[in-house]
């Protein structure tokens, strides 16, 4: 999941400076294609674990082979408790795992969209507050006033901390004797309220981003648990089929069957 972006970090994409967070891949699985990098090229990255998909594909192939077994093999399977009900349970686990992958993809997309909305809202806040601070420094000249409004304080690199400090500063700026002096240079009550609205909008987007981040994390945990369940079932099924392959040669052609078993 994405941490809160640091707006001071910049990347250049197509000639446009962008925050590094905008280029980040929320909840990306650090996986690569098999053999990637063998030619010296950068490996392909995936948002979904390719190893997990390989396990699911292996289970699907084995279930398909077992489901299509001829009558002699089907009788052997029944005698050894490889029943249609058991295969149906494994198929249900497989279907659920694939569902969780889709659900996680949607949750990840929602998180990325929330990050983008938060970042866009923050740009509005940073622009408005930056202009206010510059103008305020021209009229609030005494040290006490500059301390009260935080005009000489270094801005935080964290979006939410920046917005909180800005809201605190603007709250003081709307009190006397600062309100009258700032109104003379264009920062009257209406304009100050407009900036506070921008901050409130950002705070709402930040809350939505945090909620989306938690949802994406939860979706990842659910997916991982579902895939683990398939992997356990796959191992058990391969052991059973492997045991049959040692006893009945006709089972050695089944996908995943190993005469060595374990």
């Amino acid at each position: 999941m994405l941490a809160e972006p640091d707006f001071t970090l910049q990347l250049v994409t197509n000639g446009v400076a962008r925050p590094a967070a905008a280029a980040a891949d929320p909840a990306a699985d650090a996986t690569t294609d098999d053999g990637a990098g063998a030619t010296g090229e950068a490996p392909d990255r995936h948002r979904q674990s390719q190893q997990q998909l390989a396990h699911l594909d292996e289970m699907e192939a084995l279930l398909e082979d077992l489901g299509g077994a001829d009558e002699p093999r089907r009788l052997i399977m029944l005698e050894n408790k490889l029943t249609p009900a058991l295969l149906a349970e494994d198929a249900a686990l497989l279907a659920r795992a694939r569902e969780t992958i889709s659900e996680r993809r949607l949750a990840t997309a929602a998180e990325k969209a929330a990050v983008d909305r938060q970042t866009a809202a923050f740009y509005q806040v940073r622009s408005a507050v930056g202009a206010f601070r510059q103008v305020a420094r021209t009229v609030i000249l005494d040290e006490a006033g500059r301390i009260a409004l935080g005009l000489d304080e270094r801005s935080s690199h964290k979006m939410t901390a920046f917005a909180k400090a800005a809201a605190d500063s603007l709250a003081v700026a709307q009190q006397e004797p600062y309100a009258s002096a700032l109104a003379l240079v264009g920062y009257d009550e209406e304009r100050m309220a407009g900036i506070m609205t921008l901050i409130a909008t950002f705070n709402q987007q930040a809350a939505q981003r945090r909620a989306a981040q938690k949802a994406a994390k939860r979706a990842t945990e659910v997916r991982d648990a579902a895939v683990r369940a398939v992997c356990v079932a796959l191992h058990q099924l391969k052991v059973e089929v492997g045991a049959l392959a040692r006893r009945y040669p006709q089972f050695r052609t089944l996908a995943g069957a190993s005469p060595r078993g374990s």
Side-chain angles (χ1 to χ4, degrees):
M1 308 309 105
L2 288 179
E4 179 177 281
D6 182 335
F7 69 82
T8 62
L9 300 179
Q10 298 287 322
L11 296 176
V12 175
T13 304
N14 296 330
V16 179
R18 301 180 185 275
D25 180 6
D29 287 343
T31 62
T32 61
D33 281 332
D34 291 340
T39 61
E41 298 179 355
D44 293 332
R45 293 185 61 83
H46 302 276
R47 288 183 168 85
Q48 166 58 41
S49 166
Q50 299 301 285
Q51 185 178 35
Q52 288 184 339
L53 292 178
H55 290 318
L56 300 188
D57 290 344
E58 185 178 5
M59 172 63 98
E60 184 172 359
L62 182 53
L63 289 175
E64 181 178 338
D65 282 343
L66 291 173
D70 55 22
E71 188 62 22
R73 285 186 295 176
R74 186 176 295 111
L75 291 176
I76 293 172
M77 290 165 57
L78 290 174
E79 291 174 358
N80 290 273
K81 309 304 181 183
L82 286 181
T83 64
L86 176 63
L87 299 183
E89 290 178 4
D90 289 344
L93 290 176
L94 176 62
R96 178 53 187 154
R98 293 203 186 279
E99 287 177 359
T100 62
I101 288 175
S102 296
E103 291 166 357
R104 176 183 177 274
R105 182 170 62 250
L106 292 176
T108 298
E111 181 190 10
K112 181 60 171 65
V115 168
D116 290 344
R117 290 193 299 269
Q118 175 187 342
T119 302
F122 176 74
Y123 284 159
Q124 296 294 319
V125 171
R126 185 178 66 172
S127 177
V129 171
F132 164 75
R133 284 166 61 90
Q134 291 184 51
V135 172
R137 290 190 188 103
T138 68
V139 293
I140 309 299
L141 303 177
D142 63 295
E143 185 176 4
R146 296 170 80 92
I147 292 174
L149 272 65
L151 297 180
D152 295 327
E153 295 291 326
R154 184 183 297 275
S155 297
S156 172
H157 293 172
K158 296 295 184 180
M159 291 185 180
T160 51
F162 181 99
K164 177 63 168 61
D168 291 344
S169 176
L170 290 174
V172 175
Q174 293 177 77
Q175 302 174 22
E176 296 297 346
Y178 314 115
S180 296
L182 290 167
L184 294 176
V185 291
Y187 283 91
D188 56 13
E189 182 177 350
E190 181 180 0
R191 190 171 183 185
M192 297 293 276
I195 301 176
M196 293 296 284
T197 297
L198 291 177
I199 294 175
T201 298
F202 164 78
N203 288 334
Q204 182 181 40
Q205 295 298 338
Q208 292 178 4
R209 189 270 303 170
R210 289 191 293 272
Q213 183 180 40
K214 291 179 181 178
K217 180 179 179 181
R218 176 57 182 161
T220 298
E221 294 170 346
V222 171
R223 177 208 62 180
D224 290 346
V227 173
R228 280 195 298 271
V230 171
C231 289
V232 170
L234 175 61
H235 175 72
Q236 293 171 346
L237 197 56
K238 289 173 67 176
V239 169
E240 295 293 343
V241 173
L244 292 180
R246 291 194 298 273
R247 296 168 57 192
Y248 306 98
Q250 58 266 47
F251 274 88
R252 296 179 187 176
T253 61
L254 288 174
S258 170
R260 290 189 298 272
S262 64

